[in-house]
Amino acid sequence: MSTTSKIEHASLLDKQFISNQWVPSNGTRLLDVMNPYREERIAQVTAGDASDVDAAVTAAQQAQPDWQALGGTARANYLDGFADALEARREALMTLSATNNGKPLVEAEIDLEDAIACYRYYAKQAKALDARQGELVSVEMEGVEARTYHDPVGVVGLIAPWNFPLVTSAWKLAPALAAGCTAVLKPSEVTPLPERVLAEIALEIGLPAGVLNLLNGDGEGIGAPLTNHPDVDKISFTGSNRVGEAVMQAASARTASVSLELGGKSPILVMEDADPEQAADWVMAGIYFNAGQICSATSRLLVHEDVAEALYTALGERVDALTLGDPLAEGTDLGPLTSAKQRDAVQRYLDLAEQEGLTVVRDTTHRTLPTQGYFLAPTLYRDVPVESRLWKEEIFGPVLCARSVSSEAEAIQLANDSSFGLAATVISGDPERAKRIGRQLKAGSIWYNSEQLVLPETAWGGFKRSGIGRELGPWGLSAYLEVKHVIGPK
Ligand code: NAD
């Protein structure tokens, strides 16, 4: 079922959602929300402040014991309710997400499906949690009974970025609520519109007051006070390394738990036995989806020298065939960058590439950009030196850096030579070989002969500087649970 939008943001943007009420924000600053294709302001939000955080945390604290006491099976009904209500708003949310984020509709639909699947998955996990409570532990000592319980962490602060609205928040909110935690959710100030629907849904499905509180604002007004709040038991953060490190530092002052999903510079390895045409499709999907604004973007291509020229040719043809334009128009492959700030940040890397004299396969000289929108041309450099900042740093835009290798060992060594470890892809004509190579890569998600499959049952998270902890799967639920043992004489 699809309905047209009941989402009336314009009247709500000066308000925060606390304890199931839209209340005026105490903040005074206004933040512009943009349509990155039209370069037009589509809304303004009042940036909340620390007193909004206080009110939301208090509401979450008051709601938490009853929410926990409800049990997993009852909580599951609400999670299914979120999934159903998102489904019912499918078209409206796709349009909203494409408009605020700049992603083509087809990608906005994938996001929505991921979010719905996530709420449904954690509904099942919430039910299963009830059966896991009080499990007997086998102990060696005689006459002793030990049982394991899984208690919610408590009140959690959930901080999301702008690149996958609805998805990154689902990955946090669904397991947190399944576990019995109550939440204060802060979407990115760049894309605050899609997540506001969660408040609307909370009211529609009768979620108890205070279980979900949603605050609009930026890092200074909401993010930092939330992270520093003494009554927030855990922070789950997705975003940049710079902010992630600040979050971890703030949480350490009160030994609060953190989960961090941070940046990446993921490799894609194309071996000499790969079909270059097929490989080119997977390489393209790994870097130009969402205009390259993907934490798991496979932005470092390591291609065996035997197939390098054929692959560059195939990639060049595919880049030329990409249609840049209106995210809402059918046939658009690549939308604008999500903000002028991000467009400028990526442009600085393109300027640097020119100064460094990098070898261009495709860049802005190969196409005319749309006359409006924060567009950058899909760009491909080859033979990029490993010392180049473009090779080492997360660019977060439609920029692929490639170099050739002469052996499997060299490919693995270069793939692992990064301070990040979020993801990697291996492409080989021999799936067993691809899997074997994948096992030697230091990253949380390894795809072989595939595009980037992200399923709610499998874990998401990084090695090294890409973060701490895992989202999705049972690990995503564990991130919001404390293990408790009750032990005594039989
Ligand atoms: P960002 O770090 O600028 O902002 C992320 C969130 O943190 C926003 O909601 C922002 O308002 C908030 N924030 C800013 N300052 C804060 C502070 N001092 N304290 C608390 N919160 C604060 O990141 P971004 O630009 O929104 O997102 C892009 C980054 O996110 C990229 O580095 C990308 O790799 C990363 N990312 C990672 C994953 C993953 O799963 N590993 C997924 C998506 C994005």
Side-chain angles (χ1 to χ4, degrees):
M1 179 174 87
S2 85
T3 67
T4 46
S5 179
K6 285 200 297 167
I7 308 158
E8 291 163 13
H9 300 285
S11 59
L12 301 177
L13 297 186
D14 58 344
K15 301 209 172 59
Q16 309 286 20
F17 187 72
I18 299 172
S19 202
N20 277 9
Q21 311 230 10
W22 286 105
V23 295
S25 175
N26 292 319
T28 50
R29 288 178 300 129
L30 289 181
L31 304 173
D32 288 342
V33 182
M34 300 294 289
N35 173 333
Y37 173 64
R38 300 220 172 268
E39 301 188 41
E40 274 171 11
R41 189 174 77 195
I42 46 176
Q44 283 188 308
V45 291
T46 305
D49 70 11
S51 62
D52 293 329
V53 174
D54 283 341
V57 172
T58 301
Q61 252 188 325
Q62 285 169 353
Q64 201 279 325
D66 285 351
W67 181 243
Q68 175 175 352
L70 262 187
T73 304
R75 293 195 297 268
N77 292 333
Y78 292 103
L79 291 168
D80 278 328
F82 273 103
D84 293 341
L86 288 171
E87 183 72 59
R89 291 164 173 78
R90 174 181 281 265
E91 274 152 41
L93 285 173
M94 282 163 55
T95 304
L96 188 64
S97 179
T99 305
N100 192 181
N101 179 277
K103 60 179 70 206
L105 274 179
V106 59
E107 296 188 16
E109 183 163 28
I110 294 172
D111 284 10
L112 196 62
E113 277 165 7
D114 281 358
I116 292 168
C118 181
Y119 286 103
R120 292 218 190 282
Y121 173 76
Y122 281 109
K124 286 193 208 121
Q125 288 284 320
K127 283 183 201 153
L129 185 59
D130 282 347
R132 290 166 57 202
Q133 299 290 11
E135 274 176 348
L136 264 181
V137 183
S138 165
V139 292
E140 293 285 320
M141 185 178 278
E142 288 194 9
V144 165
E145 181 184 292
R147 291 184 183 270
T148 311
Y149 293 85
H150 306 272
D151 282 4
V153 170
V155 172
V156 293
L158 312 177
I159 302 177
W162 45 259
N163 57 342
F164 288 98
L166 291 175
V167 178
T168 39
S169 54
W171 292 10
K172 299 181 188 310
L173 186 62
L177 298 192
C181 295
T182 51
V184 178
L185 170 65
K186 188 200 112 42
S188 167
E189 63 276 27
V190 180
T191 53
L193 302 188
E195 260 93 7
R196 288 178 77 91
V197 77
L198 298 173
E200 184 182 297
I201 293 172
L203 292 173
E204 182 179 299
I205 64 176
L207 191 73
V211 170
L212 164 64
N213 305 276
L214 185 128
L215 296 181
N216 279 138
D218 54 15
E220 181 195 330
I222 300 291
L226 184 59
T227 307
N228 281 293
H229 202 290
D231 297 325
V232 173
D233 300 298
K234 176 182 178 113
I235 295 283
S236 177
F237 170 85
T238 299
S240 63
N241 280 72
R242 182 184 60 79
V243 177
E245 284 156 23
V247 164
M248 193 169 168
Q249 209 162 21
S252 75
R254 61 181 193 286
T255 332
S257 158
V258 289
S259 291
L260 302 175
E261 297 289 348
L262 307 178
K265 189 73 187 177
S266 299
I268 182 162
L269 288 63
V270 180
M271 309 315 296
E272 71 281 10
D273 54 3
D275 168 7
E277 293 293 329
Q278 173 64 80
D281 289 338
W282 290 323
V283 173
M284 293 288 291
I287 186 65
Y288 299 123
F289 192 83
N290 203 25
Q293 302 163 121
I294 331 172
C295 49
S296 58
T298 38
S299 53
R300 290 187 297 141
L301 167 61
L302 292 157
V303 51
H304 194 280
E305 58 195 10
D306 290 357
V307 285
E309 294 307 325
L311 183 64
Y312 293 145
T313 302
L315 286 172
E317 288 166 4
R318 282 163 178 73
V319 169
D320 292 341
L322 290 175
T323 302
L324 275 60
D326 184 350
L328 297 177
E330 208 169 312
T332 296
D333 298 308
L334 202 74
L337 283 283
T338 299
S339 67
K341 187 175 165 202
Q342 188 60 23
R343 188 256 330 260
D344 296 345
V346 177
Q347 182 61 53
R348 284 194 284 280
Y349 279 103
L350 302 180
D351 295 343
L352 184 65
E354 201 174 336
Q355 285 163 30
E356 288 184 357
L358 294 192
T359 307
V360 172
V361 180
R362 288 295 184 279
D363 72 356
T364 194
T365 59
H366 295 87
R367 72 160 62 234
T368 311
L369 292 178
T371 52
Q372 61 173 7
Y374 307 138
F375 284 95
L376 287 174
T379 298
L380 167 56
Y381 300 111
R382 58 177 289 180
D383 310 321
V384 178
V386 292
E387 301 77 28
S388 169
R389 280 183 53 201
L390 281 90
W391 184 258
K392 290 196 247 187
E393 297 176 14
E394 182 181 54
I395 298 174
F396 223 57
V399 183
L400 176 60
C401 293
R403 54 181 291 119
S404 60
V405 292
S406 54
S407 68
E408 181 181 303
E410 189 190 0
I412 293 169
Q413 185 269 321
L414 282 174
N416 286 334
D417 184 18
S418 170
S419 56
F420 296 107
L422 188 57
T425 300
V426 185
I427 303 173
S428 162
D430 174 359
E432 292 309 315
R433 181 187 184 199
K435 284 189 259 184
R436 179 176 49 73
I437 293 172
R439 292 276 294 114
Q440 296 174 71
L441 301 179
K442 295 189 177 82
S445 292
I446 312 287
W447 296 282
Y448 67 93
N449 294 345
S450 156
E451 55 191 22
Q452 298 197 357
L453 288 172
V454 182
L455 306 174
E457 300 84 358
T458 63
W460 185 263
F463 286 32
K464 303 192 257 183
R465 292 192 68 210
S466 288
I468 296 178
R470 292 291 179 273
E471 295 193 304
L472 298 182
W475 309 276
L477 184 68
S478 298
Y480 296 96
L481 292 169
E482 297 279 12
V483 174
K484 180 161 81 185
H485 280 108
V486 177
I487 309 174
K490 272 187 179 160

